[in-house]
Each structure stands twice: as structure tokens, then as C-alpha cells.
Amino acid sequence: MLDFFTIFSKGGLVLWCFQGVSDSCTGPVNALIRSVLLQVGFQKILTLTYVDKLIDDVHRLFRDKYRTEIQQQSALSLLNGTFDFQNDFLRLLREAEESSKIRAPTTMKKFEDSEKAKKPVRSMIETRGEKPKEKAKNSKKRGAKKEGSDGPLATSKAVPAEKSGLPVGPENGVELSKEELIRRKREEFIQKHGRGMEKSNKSTKSDAPKEKGKKAPRVWELGGCANKEALDYSTPTTNGSPEAALSEDINLIRGTGPGGQLQDLDCSSSDDEGAAQNSTKPSATKGTLGGMFGMLKGLVGSKSLSREDMESVLDKMRDHLIAKNVAADIAVQLCESVANKLEGKVMGTFSTVTSTVKQALQESLVQILQPQRRVDMLRDIMDAQRRQRPYVVTFCGVNGVGKSTNLAKISFWLLENGFSVLIAACDTFRAGAVEQLRTHTRRLSALHPPEKHGGRTMVQLFEKGYGKDAAGIAMEAIAFARNQGFDVVLVDTAGRMQDNAPLMTALAKLITVNTPDLVLFVGEALVGNEAVDQLVKFNRALADHSMAQTPRLIDGIVLTKFDTIDDKVGAAISMTYITSKPIVFVGTGQTYCDLRSLNAKAVVAALMKA
């Protein structure tokens, strides 16, 4: 049944309409349209088969019948005019309905009507012993050649097949039994492969008497060796002469890319394009009924949001954030703040609850990753140069997060920008910490030798060995840098857990005594809830063990191992949310150029990606 049909011009003027439903139904329909705005095409709702034909017939008849009136009259006269098209439309509708009834329904094709049913059953049976005609001819030709070349050997091979008395196959009109077919195949296999097996046995016997020589062990360039001379790396220095030149490839140590300019962090993965293409495929396979209800679901027009509307969407968003490595408490607080922000807000016409909540959450995440205070090290270093004092940076964090490695990356970045660096080895607890910094200093000196800078030493290590007071070493390093004219002092501290009270007291003492310009917390991007615990306890310990009235806390964050987490970037949100401090650097690899600045929008896009 056709409920409503209208004819209108290209300008939107309604010329004529047909209403098949009584006026009593117009009230509920108009109320539904006012509360929930639907925008659907007739193919999605109507399942009538004659709709396309009816539209074409009505369009043709109406155009031909009222062509002159439409062309001559103005828009105002068209609005006031009437077109007597009721009887013609009912006639066309009746004809279209009758034509759809006359059309016979399509039936499935039966097996008896197919071409396969016309073939005999015998022609579709394939016997394992049967060979096609062309292959049989080729095999006969090969057999004739073998007889001419091999002589008695070929005739002896053909004898067993003749002696067995087996029929050749179905081409002679005789079918083989199952046992006879197996026996025949077995004999053919022995005839074909028997000679090859004999040859292989001979070859193995001939190889046996060869002498077995011992293989010399391969010597790797950086491998282990039991030789004392190879293991002795302690080349003595005479009269303070510098260490020997590097044997490593400097380009491999440096890496690729501009070292003096920090590039923005790129969080896009190679699977994004494929995921975007695949995401469009399921929508095309939805049925008519599913597409209709899909439009109704979550589509609200001119309605204020309530907690009940957002509850299911916020639950999914919270679980999604936790899956992306955001700390659970912070994910709950984020969703709660979004709910408070959106509660009572009037939504747009075509806005869904999901899209509105997602957009609000994205805006909140971008604001979190862009704190009010921005750390600009290069500007602060130039300001310290005008005051003729070194700029001091202290690195702290838990064990194994990459403090020394990222300190070397930052040193290389500063060297590329033309600043001289003094590295203070204040990790007097971990075995090998001083040697690690010495190796980095030697490599950085090879990348920036004094010859390139007018004989000026650009990077130097200040160390006093192990077991000493870290705060005293840092104080001496700062005084040495002031006397020698170094621009920056990078203080490396020992890794310590946030629950270790003696080590946290020593760190608070180092920061209080030396008052560095910047305190950077080094944390890895692999942690989830642990990031919150580490930062909260580090700040609390610095505040509790500080002797100053206004204790010095963490100023910024260095996020390491970012190249190992794919799109699970939640640790960045957790760290900045709990401290309100910016992420100054992001470590993305193992070379000196693998240092990036945080791109908030890229991180949020990776975080919100399904």
C-alpha cells in the first residue's frame, strides 16, 4: 500500500500530492518527525517492486499534461494553482500494482534442467588408473624412445605388466577392480622409482669415504672470546692523553635525521589504511531493516543529554582507555569529567551520543597533553648564557627506564645546536654506570671533535668514581662547568624505586643543595597504573625530604621506549594528568637521533583509534 506520494519542482515547490492514509494518523507521524528526525530514501523503506516504474510513468504523464502551465506561470501562480491529477495517478497506480501481480515469481533452477543432468553418469566417473588420451600417446612415444636406447632393460620393464594379465583400463571396455588397480599402481611406482633409488644409494656410498675436516669456528666482530688480549679493553692513558679513536661506524651510532631539530612524534601505524578500508565494508552488507534501525539507534534531535544517555558510551570509553594503557583511576576521572561537561548540553540535529562523547573526550585529552607551562630548553639555555652561568638539568627515575641513554640523546641534540655539555656521573651506586657514560662521551666527542669547533671541547665527562656522595659530585661538576665555560650540565642520578626511602632522601638532598634549573623524570611508555604510583611518590618524597620551604618537584617528563608500544600510548596521558607537567622529550629508538617532541593530536588520535 502506498501511503504518500508528492510531485514537486526543482525549486522545491509542491505541485501535487496524494495521501493514502487518513488524517487521523498525521498527528503521531508529525510528533515522531519532530522528536526524531529521519532522513531515509524510499529504497531503504519501501519493498514495493513497482515503485521505480510508477515514478517514471507519473513523471512522464504529469510533465506532458501540464507542460504549458508550468512553463508560462510564475512561482506564485504555481502555488495558488491546482492540478487535477488524482484520477490519472490512481489509474497509473492500479496499472503498476496489476503488472507486479501478473509477473511470475522467479523459481530456482532444478537439477534436471541443468547441463550436468544431461551428461551420463559413466562420463563423470574418473578411475585412478585411467589416463587421458593425449597423455597416453606421449607415454607411448617415451616408451618407444627408451626401448631404442636402453635395449633389454626397457623390455624387461615391460614384461611384468604383460605377465600380470591386467587389463589396460576402461578404454578397452573393461573396468578394473579396486585390488587390481592398487596392485597395478604399486608395480608402476616400483618401475619408475626403483632405478633412482639405486643411484642415490651409490652416491651416498661414494660420499662416505671422504675425509671429515673440522670446521673452523667463525670469529664475530663483537663476539665473545677467551683470549686475554682480545678481552683487555683497558688501554692505559699516558700523561692524560685522550683515548684511542672509535672503531665503530659513526653513522650507525648517530642515526639518520636532523639532530639539531626535534621532529614531531608520529603515532600512525601501517595498518591504519587497511583498517580504514575494511571499516567501510560491513556498512554495505547491512540489510534494509538493519539500516533503518541503525539510523534510529542513538540519534537524538534537539534533546539535552543526561547521565543515562551517556552511561553505556562512557563505560565503553573507559574500558577503551584502560586497554590503551591509561591508568584505571585516571580513565574513570576522565570519563567523569566528560560526563559533567556534557550533562544538560543540547545536541545537534545529526549528532549521536557516541560521537559527542568521543569529541569531548578528545578535546579533554588534547588539553591534558598541552599543559599551561611549556619547557623550552634552548631559550632557557641562552638566557643562562647571558647570565654567564651553566644551565643544570637533573635526570631522575626508577631503575632501567633509560636515563643514561636518553641523557646521551639530549646531549647530542644540544651539541647539534652548538652548546657545550658537561655530563656529571652522579650514579655512584650501579656497577658500570660511569663506564656507560664514558662510552657515550667518547662517541659524542667523535661526532663533534674539537677540530670542528675551533679547538673547543664540546662534551666532557665529570666523574669521581663509585661510592661517593652524589650531591657533592653534582656541586663540584657545576662549579667546574662555570670555571671552564660549559653551557649545560646534565646530571645523571642512580635509578631508585619510589618506595626506597634512603635513596629518595639522597635525591631530594641533591636537588635541594644544587637547585637545578630543570628536573626531568624519566619514565617508560610501557607502564600503566605504575606510572601514577611512580610520579605521585617521587613528588611526595621530594616534598617530604626537602629542607626548603617551597620544595622543588618534577618540572617535566622524558617518555622512553615509545617505539615498543604501537598505539598503547596511555602512559603519556597518565603521567601528564597526575603531574600537570609537560612531556619534554620522547625516546623512539636506540640511536642519538631517535628523540622526538610530543605531538598531542597524534597521540590522542592513536589513543582513540579502535
Side-chain angles (χ1 to χ4, degrees):
M1 180 180 177
L2 194 62
D3 297 332
F4 188 76
F5 193 97
T6 182
I7 300 174
F8 52 89
S9 64
K10 289 185 178 179
L13 299 176
V14 178
L15 304 177
W16 179 84
C17 65
F18 166 79
Q19 187 171 0
V21 185
S22 61
D23 296 337
S24 60
C25 299
T26 57
V29 173
N30 292 333
L32 177 64
I33 292 174
R34 280 194 300 271
S35 60
V36 179
L37 182 59
L38 303 178
Q39 190 177 21
V40 294
F42 65 88
Q43 286 91 349
K44 285 241 175 192
I45 292 186
L46 297 180
T47 57
L48 303 178
T49 57
Y50 58 82
V51 172
D52 294 330
K53 182 179 181 303
L54 178 63
I55 291 175
D56 294 337
D57 295 342
V58 170
H59 174 263
R60 191 181 302 108
L61 182 59
F62 191 87
R63 181 193 61 193
D64 297 340
K65 187 174 181 180
Y66 300 105
R67 183 189 298 270
T68 57
E69 288 85 345
I70 294 173
Q71 291 178 351
Q72 294 176 3
Q73 295 181 7
S74 61
L76 185 60
S77 59
L78 287 176
L79 287 173
N80 297 328
T82 58
F83 296 94
D84 187 11
F85 195 65
Q86 183 79 11
N87 297 329
D88 296 330
F89 176 76
L90 293 175
R91 178 177 56 82
L92 292 175
L93 179 60
R94 198 179 308 111
E95 292 176 358
E97 291 177 348
E98 290 176 357
S99 63
S100 64
K101 293 178 182 178
I102 295 172
R103 187 183 302 169
T106 57
T107 57
M108 287 185 62
K109 194 175 182 181
K110 295 183 180 180
F111 177 74
E112 289 76 9
D113 300 333
S114 62
E115 295 181 359
K116 187 176 286 188
K118 300 176 183 178
K119 294 182 180 181
V121 179
R122 185 179 181 83
S123 63
M124 291 186 286
I125 297 176
E126 294 183 2
T127 310
R128 294 183 63 183
E130 183 181 359
K131 292 183 179 180
K133 293 182 180 180
E134 295 181 0
K135 291 184 179 180
K137 290 179 182 179
N138 295 334
S139 62
K140 287 179 181 179
K141 291 180 181 179
R142 291 196 196 104
K145 289 181 181 179
K146 286 184 180 179
E147 287 179 3
S149 60
D150 296 337
L153 182 61
T155 56
S156 64
K157 285 183 179 180
V159 169
E162 295 175 359
K163 284 183 179 180
S164 60
L166 294 173
V168 179
E171 60 270 13
N172 292 333
V174 182
E175 292 187 2
L176 297 174
S177 64
K178 191 173 181 179
E179 295 179 358
E180 292 174 346
L181 184 60
I182 294 172
R183 194 191 316 157
R184 180 179 175 182
K185 284 291 183 183
R186 188 178 298 164
E187 291 177 358
E188 289 179 359
F189 179 80
I190 294 172
Q191 291 174 10
K192 289 181 180 179
H193 301 280
R195 190 175 181 184
M197 292 171 65
E198 293 176 0
K199 289 183 178 179
S200 62
N201 292 335
K202 290 181 181 179
S203 62
T204 53
K205 289 180 181 178
S206 61
D207 295 336
K210 289 184 179 179
E211 295 181 359
K212 296 181 179 179
K214 292 184 179 180
K215 185 178 179 180
R218 183 171 182 177
V219 180
W220 296 93
E221 184 179 355
L222 298 177
C225 182
N227 190 5
K228 289 184 178 180
E229 297 178 357
L231 292 174
D232 188 9
Y233 288 95
S234 59
T235 53
T237 57
T238 56
N239 299 326
S241 59
E243 297 181 6
L246 283 175
S247 61
E248 300 103 333
D249 189 0
I250 296 181
N251 293 326
L252 294 178
I253 300 170
R254 181 189 187 279
T256 58
Q261 182 179 2
L262 288 179
Q263 299 178 356
D264 287 339
L265 184 67
D266 185 14
C267 299
S268 61
S269 61
S270 60
D271 300 334
D272 289 349
E273 296 180 359
Q277 293 176 359
N278 295 332
S279 63
T280 59
K281 292 181 180 179
S283 61
T285 60
K286 291 182 179 179
T288 305
L289 190 62
M292 178 180 175
F293 283 103
M295 295 179 192
L296 291 170
K297 183 179 179 181
L299 204 142
V300 181
S302 302
K303 180 184 177 183
S304 60
L305 279 175
S306 62
R307 288 264 181 176
E308 290 75 13
D309 296 331
M310 298 182 290
E311 186 175 358
S312 60
V313 179
L314 288 173
D315 290 343
K316 292 180 181 178
M317 290 291 179
R318 184 186 65 250
D319 296 340
H320 177 77
L321 291 176
I322 294 173
K324 290 300 181 79
N325 243 1
V326 179
D329 295 340
I330 294 176
V332 173
Q333 294 175 21
L334 279 171
C335 293
E336 187 68 22
S337 64
V338 170
N340 295 333
K341 180 180 178 181
L342 294 179
E343 189 174 6
K345 179 182 178 182
V346 178
M347 297 181 56
T349 306
F350 292 101
S351 299
T352 61
V353 178
T354 304
S355 62
T356 305
V357 173
K358 187 175 181 180
Q359 183 179 0
L361 186 60
Q362 284 180 344
E363 294 173 356
S364 300
L365 293 174
V366 171
Q367 290 178 359
I368 290 171
L369 290 175
Q370 292 177 342
Q372 297 178 355
R373 181 178 182 270
R374 182 175 178 268
V375 176
D376 191 348
M377 280 187 62
L378 299 180
R379 181 195 61 193
D380 296 340
I381 292 171
M382 288 187 287
D383 184 45
Q385 281 181 333
R386 287 192 291 270
R387 300 179 183 179
Q388 297 182 354
R389 66 174 186 85
Y391 185 82
V392 183
V393 183
T394 301
F395 295 82
C396 62
V398 299
N399 307 80
V401 294
K403 290 184 297 299
S404 301
T405 303
N406 285 272
L407 182 146
K409 292 181 185 179
I410 297 172
S411 300
F412 176 73
W413 173 65
L414 294 172
L415 292 172
E416 290 285 312
N417 283 280
F419 298 110
S420 58
V421 178
L422 179 67
I423 300 175
C426 295
D427 184 358
T428 61
F429 183 76
R430 176 173 65 91
V434 177
E435 286 77 10
Q436 182 182 5
L437 291 178
R438 186 180 294 126
T439 302
H440 283 303
T441 305
R442 185 173 68 249
R443 291 177 172 178
L444 292 170
S445 298
L447 291 170
H448 285 273
E451 293 79 13
K452 291 184 179 180
H453 300 275
R456 180 188 179 190
T457 302
M458 295 300 293
V459 59
Q460 188 174 340
L461 177 66
F462 187 89
E463 52 96 4
K464 293 293 183 179
Y466 296 97
K468 305 294 192 322
D469 181 26
I473 296 175
M475 183 181 294
E476 294 180 16
I478 295 171
F480 180 82
R482 186 182 294 109
N483 296 330
Q484 297 297 323
F486 282 95
D487 299 323
V488 185
V489 179
L490 301 181
V491 180
D492 182 34
T493 62
R496 63 204 76 208
M497 296 305 295
Q498 60 269 21
D499 298 322
N500 194 329
L503 290 179
M504 293 304 299
T505 305
L507 178 64
K509 175 187 173 184
L510 185 148
I511 294 175
T512 304
V513 169
N514 296 284
T515 60
D517 298 281
L518 187 65
V519 179
L520 293 179
F521 176 83
V522 184
E524 58 184 6
L526 303 171
V527 296
N529 293 325
E530 185 69 12
V532 178
D533 188 58
Q534 290 174 5
L535 282 166
V536 168
K537 290 187 177 179
F538 257 83
N539 270 333
R540 186 184 303 162
L542 292 177
D544 293 344
H545 301 293
S546 177
M547 294 175 288
Q549 294 181 354
T550 56
R552 184 66 179 278
L553 303 180
I554 293 170
D555 298 319
I557 300 169
V558 178
L559 199 58
T560 65
K561 306 177 185 178
F562 207 85
D563 54 323
T564 63
I565 58 171
D566 194 20
D567 59 348
K568 292 181 171 57
V569 295
I573 301 295
S574 301
M575 290 182 179
T576 51
Y577 185 86
I578 202 67
T579 60
S580 299
K581 302 299 181 182
I583 295 177
V584 186
F585 300 104
V586 179
T588 59
Q590 299 180 3
T591 63
Y592 290 145
C593 286
D594 293 327
L595 197 68
R596 300 285 185 271
S597 62
L598 187 72
N599 186 355
K601 293 183 179 179
V603 172
V604 172
L607 188 66
M608 299 302 294
K609 185 177 66 176

